[in-house]
Amino acid sequence: VKKVLFETHHLYYWPNFVPIVEELKNRGGYTVHASMPRRSSDVQQTILSQACSELDVVFVAADSEPDRIEKIIREAYDVVMVGNVGQLKQIVLPDALAVMVYHGIGLKQSYYRDIDDRINIRAVESMERLHELKEQGHTNLVLTGFTKLDKLYTISENEPEQLKQKLNLNRNKKTILYAPSFYPTSIEKLCPQLSVLSADYNIVIKLHGFSWEQKRYRYQSGLCSELAEKHDSIQLLPNETFDILPYYKIADVLISDISSTMFEFLPLNRPIIQAECFSLRLKHRIFRRRFWRKLDVERMQNVDFAYKIVDPADVIGRVQFALEYPDEMESLRQTAHNQYLYKPDGMASARVVDAIEENLK
């Protein structure tokens, strides 16, 4: 029996790992554990440990970070799965297999920078990214697809209906899913517009975990909470709802900014609006080049499958148009799907486990 640890640096990495956990359990011959770095707040840890118990996964916790690392080393895992480099070096033994399933596929440069030679296998979500990483000299790559999306193909037919009832959505209105990033973000600029849109549409807001958990971004969940309290047709998903996938199924249109959600939504082939109206920190307003260095500008410019807005007020007309003509960008979205995501077959996690088993031989 091989021992596998899912080192979940942040709660929002877990949806990428769940399909792999399930694949390992289906195959048998694996003991699966999960852990999370010890932080001053227990909120993320409590939510993750609950999610682990639902999947019958042992959650490894300790009173301090050094104790947690010591515990992990004592367990001597055969495979350590990570979503970023994080604590990797400290927790992976020399003989263990280190596997990276990167946590996001959005528009940030960290995708290319958050990397380490100790990683034996890096799962890659698209042929295009595989070529880019190969050109940069990486040799530990396996083309798998994006594991998080596997679940899209197993969501039962009645689950979207149940979600609509649970959220008390108006059956006669179309539904907007708003899924912004935490930084740079469109939240401040778009919140007033969401108020206006709520008269004619259901709006479901799914925030990034950091908008709840990190002090400098917590004002974002505050803004959206106020909005949801004022308007019956605006539903803010709580931090405990860390998996956005089921909500893609109930959305007629997605609004985002630089988040991975724009790419994750492509399999549904429904309209996407990209808000390029960001609120920047003072240093990035002054030193704009520093800000742009954080982003994958080329990838951002290549996004041709979404309606782009720079003026927040334009979102209202864009939503109306997109919902009236949902097929207008259909072929562009299909092309983008083939470009940014490998094989829409729900088998990405199976390909990850195949690569692990190949390396464990």
Side-chain angles (χ1 to χ4, degrees), residues 3 5 33 60-62 66-78 90-93:
K3 293 172 79 173
L5 173 72
H33 293 183
V60 180
D67 287 354
R68 186 186 79 95
I69 289 169
E70 198 179 309
K71 224 174 182 179
I72 287 171
I73 290 165
R74 274 206 310 273
E75 286 283 354
Y77 293 100
D78 301 291
Q90 297 180 64
I91 61 174
V92 68
L93 294 178

Side-chain angles (χ1 to χ4, degrees), residues 277-321:
C277 37
F278 307 125
S279 304
L280 298 186
R281 290 183 202 133
L282 181 62
K283 69 173 179 186
H284 287 149
R285 290 204 297 272
I286 299 166
F287 304 108
R288 276 191 175 270
R289 277 175 56 196
R290 270 193 211 173
F291 165 68
W292 288 108
R293 277 209 300 269
K294 279 178 169 289
L295 297 185
D296 186 343
V297 176
E298 192 180 339
R299 187 173 166 92
M300 195 167 178
Q301 285 167 344
N302 288 340
V303 170
D304 62 355
F305 55 86
Y307 297 105
K308 299 190 180 200
I309 58 154
V310 177
D311 181 345
D314 290 344
V315 74
I316 294 164
R318 272 285 168 236
V319 166
Q320 286 169 339
F321 182 86

Side-chain angles (χ1 to χ4, degrees), residues 19-20 50 64 114 212 220 222 243 309 353:
I20 307 169
Q50 176 60 39
S64 70
D114 194 355
W212 297 97
Q220 297 170 355
D243 187 6
I309 58 154
V353 178

Side-chain angles (χ1 to χ4, degrees), residues 168-187:
N168 204 13
L169 300 186
N170 183 329
R171 300 272 157 182
N172 303 315
K173 289 180 174 181
K174 298 271 193 195
T175 298
I176 298 166
L177 175 61
Y178 177 47
S181 188
F182 61 98
Y183 189 80
T185 187
S186 54
I187 292 173

